[in-house]
Amino acid sequence: MTEIIDRPAETVTIEPIAGYLGAEVAGVDLRYELDRATRRLLTDALYEHKVLFFRDQEIDHAAQIRFTGYFGPVTDAHPLGYTDKSPAGYPQVLEVDSRTYASRSGSRQYSYANHWHQDVTALVNPPAITVLRAELVPEVGGDTTWADLAAAYEGLPSSLQRFLEGLYAENRFGGREPRWVRGSESDAVTSATPIISEHPVVRVHPVTGKKLLYVNPGFTSRILGLRPAQSDTLLDLLFAEITDPAYTVRIRWTPNSIGIWDNRATIHQAPSDLGHLDVVRVLHRTTVEGDVPVGVDGRPSRSVSGEPFYARSA
Ligand SMILES: [Fe+2]
């Protein structure tokens, strides 16, 4: 698996699939190490299109970790140490396996978060990039949808943009209303290790410089400096904006497909159309270490509780 195929980058095609974000990539074989030109091209494409999809990539965990590493240092699976969800020898891989969820919760569940979210914005440095590889997916159903947080910001009236740029919001597991049951494993783990951070409501993307509407229903619990009712009303408005279908792309998984997304510039929604079907869905997630967000005023995010989540040093 160390063979380097000196594949000219111009053989790679990148085809946009929605108005704001999302592209399908062809002409890349992830079984082999990619040359520098192709890696550069894919990195640029990721920041441009925010979600890239690769089809028919029959690779293993090691190759997925190598691919993820092209975009930055690869972290362990999860800051709450869900190592029992990682395959043996690959602590970087988080298993998204409907069979595991079913045995834990006693009911059908196809993802640990069946609602709109960014990955782990409870952290002071949420993952920059996420990779998800499909192993077993149903013939129909189980699509993932992403939305473009820069487009959502740019779609706001300028008066509202200016107002939001001075605000910061608290992010914690579960957001305003944790969806898990009291006494469940999720309840126990998140209570035992509280991870809480304050992020700018408008974040400046460190690579593209774009302003992002940086809140999400999965983690954002309140806007600082507002009364609870005001915070809830404003969050309702912002959540409606960032989940406007106009800003989304919905992608169908196929076996051996790989999705990679900019976790700073997008939110995503796991499927909720499978509960009535008797199907299995198994995907493998890896993440790239993130930076600490910075607001328009240059102020960085602040950790209220919990440590930054770094990739382990080589
Ligand atoms: Fe996610």
Side-chain angles (χ1 to χ4, degrees), residues 22-304:
E24 295 252 1
V25 180
V28 175
D29 188 342
L30 300 182
R31 289 175 301 171
Y32 306 106
E33 200 166 319
L34 299 181
D35 62 80
R36 195 176 298 213
T38 306
R39 282 189 258 174
R40 182 62 200 254
L41 184 145
L42 293 179
T43 303
D44 290 347
L46 176 62
Y47 289 121
E48 182 181 351
H49 299 288
K50 299 168 183 168
V51 183
L52 299 179
F53 246 70
F54 301 77
R55 302 288 179 185
D56 304 317
Q57 303 288 337
E58 218 175 321
I59 62 169
D60 56 14
H61 295 309
Q64 178 175 348
I65 292 164
R66 180 182 61 201
F67 171 68
T68 309
Y70 294 154
F71 302 89
V74 183
T75 67
D76 276 1
H78 198 281
L80 292 178
Y82 289 142
T83 47
D84 58 332
K85 291 188 177 72
S86 298
Y90 300 99
Q92 304 95 330
V93 177
L94 180 79
E95 298 287 53
V96 180
D97 186 332
S98 59
R99 297 166 301 192
T100 316
Y101 292 125
S103 66
R104 278 160 195 268
S105 65
S107 63
R108 286 208 189 99
Q109 190 184 336
Y110 290 89
S111 169
Y112 78 102
N114 290 63
H115 51 270
W116 284 103
H117 66 282
Q118 285 169 287
D119 288 329
V120 212
T121 58
L123 286 167
V124 72
N125 66 331
I129 288 160
T130 302
V131 174
L132 202 52
R133 174 167 66 93
E135 183 179 334
L136 295 171
V137 287
E139 276 189 36
V140 294
D143 301 352
T144 298
T145 306
W146 287 262
D148 184 334
L149 297 174
Y153 170 83
E154 285 158 18
L156 295 174
S158 59
S159 56
L160 188 47
Q161 290 175 338
R162 298 292 94 73
F163 169 67
L164 296 172
E165 284 176 7
L167 297 178
Y168 283 70
E170 180 186 83
N171 282 248
R172 56 166 70 221
F173 282 90
R176 287 191 286 185
E177 276 175 61
R179 289 153 181 83
W180 49 77
V181 179
R182 267 195 191 284
S184 66
E185 185 199 19
S186 296
D187 188 31
V189 170
T190 51
S191 309
T193 318
I195 302 176
I196 304 168
S197 299
E198 294 171 357
H199 295 307
V201 169
V202 179
R203 177 182 184 177
V204 180
H205 194 289
V207 177
T208 65
K210 294 246 184 200
K211 293 177 182 174
L212 313 164
L213 200 43
Y214 199 66
V215 290
N216 72 89
F219 288 92
T220 309
S221 48
R222 66 188 175 95
I223 295 179
L224 303 173
L226 300 187
R227 291 200 289 272
Q230 295 170 332
S231 170
D232 279 341
T233 301
L234 186 52
L235 284 177
D236 285 343
L237 184 153
L238 298 180
F239 292 164
E241 290 293 329
I242 59 178
T243 58
D244 184 332
Y247 305 133
T248 65
V249 62
R250 176 172 174 154
I251 304 180
R252 186 172 181 174
W253 295 97
T254 46
N256 302 317
S257 56
I258 295 173
I260 177 168
W261 64 90
D262 183 338
N263 190 54
R264 299 178 283 212
T266 60
I267 52 170
H268 56 281
Q269 185 184 42
S272 51
D273 64 345
L274 295 174
H276 62 299
L277 303 174
D278 186 17
V279 293
V280 172
R281 185 175 186 267
V282 179
L283 302 99
H284 310 286
R285 191 187 90 170
T286 43
T287 44
V288 170
E289 179 184 300
D291 51 320
V292 174
V294 174
V296 177
D297 58 4
R299 251 172 75 195
S301 298
R302 187 175 85 87
S303 171
V304 176

